[in-house]
Amino acid sequence: MSVRESEIYEKKYRLIAVNNGVKAYNEKISININENISFDSKKEEFTSLDHFVTSIVSDLLIAIDKYTKKQGETIMDLESQTVVIVKNPLSLLNVKGFDEPSYIESIKIKIYLYTFMEEEKAEDYFRNIVSKCLIYNTLKDKLDIKVDFEFTL
């Protein structure tokens, strides 16, 4: 006989439209999200797109950090750079004549880390960790998401 909690995990959120934005709640805290995407390079608040992309990448980095520590592997200077390509962005601004739906065309993630492993072994080792990541696994077949590694030995 299986226990339901061992098969699924259910997480609930509440979101409310307020003051030209959204307030998102989990069990303990809330955040405000006021834009779905921003073309203003000086904007200091995370948008929906920012939250979405950073959730994917943080899922990868946290998994790599935790898994390597559990296995006793040494990695240092774990970081990443990500490029997101949004198709038809002018539709989001309601620019006349631009009516095609906007969507994320691709997400390119480059993970940089320092390891003592040989590069070929490191590539397999870290790809294995990536294959266990919740958010990445959910989206990898639905979006063009590419993860590359750059190792410093």
Side-chain angles (χ1 to χ4, degrees):
M1 183 169 181
S2 70
V3 178
R4 185 175 192 264
E5 290 82 13
S6 70
E7 296 172 2
I8 66 164
Y9 173 71
E10 183 176 276
K11 179 89 173 157
K12 295 181 180 180
Y13 301 90
R14 179 176 179 218
L15 285 82
I16 303 170
V18 292
N19 302 325
N20 297 324
V22 171
K23 189 161 194 128
Y25 297 86
N26 69 8
E27 297 88 356
K28 297 186 190 261
I29 64 168
S30 68
I31 60 170
N32 293 312
I33 305 167
N34 296 316
E35 299 282 344
N36 54 1
I37 188 171
S38 177
F39 300 101
D40 180 358
S41 63
K42 295 182 181 177
K43 186 163 183 71
E44 295 183 0
E45 297 172 346
F46 261 47
T47 65
S48 297
L49 178 65
D50 296 326
H51 283 285
F52 178 73
V53 173
T54 58
S55 71
I56 297 167
V57 181
S58 64
D59 181 43
L60 296 170
L61 297 184
I62 290 167
I64 289 169
D65 187 52
K66 285 184 176 184
Y67 188 82
T68 54
K69 284 179 181 169
K70 186 176 180 181
Q71 298 298 314
E73 292 292 341
T74 301
I75 60 166
M76 296 180 276
D77 302 326
L78 178 60
E79 65 179 78
S80 70
Q81 290 186 338
T82 304
V83 176
V84 178
I85 304 297
V86 176
K87 285 290 282 186
N88 305 316
L90 295 181
S91 296
L92 295 168
L93 298 172
N94 294 319
V95 174
K96 218 173 201 179
F98 293 90
D99 300 326
E100 293 295 317
S102 301
Y103 62 94
I104 296 171
E105 181 178 62
S106 66
I107 301 173
K108 308 289 185 225
I109 304 165
K110 186 157 211 168
I111 298 175
Y112 300 87
L113 56 91
Y114 181 91
T115 180
F116 295 106
M117 289 184 211
E118 295 174 14
E119 190 168 340
E120 188 174 303
K121 180 184 176 195
E123 183 77 29
D124 291 341
Y125 180 81
F126 291 104
R127 291 249 170 245
N128 181 50
I129 296 171
V130 166
S131 74
K132 299 174 184 177
C133 291
L134 170 69
I135 298 170
Y136 173 78
N137 278 334
T138 303
L139 299 172
K140 69 180 181 181
D141 295 330
K142 294 158 185 63
L143 281 172
D144 177 13
I145 302 177
K146 184 178 181 189
V147 178
D148 289 319
F149 294 97
E150 187 164 311
F151 303 105
T152 306
L153 306 174

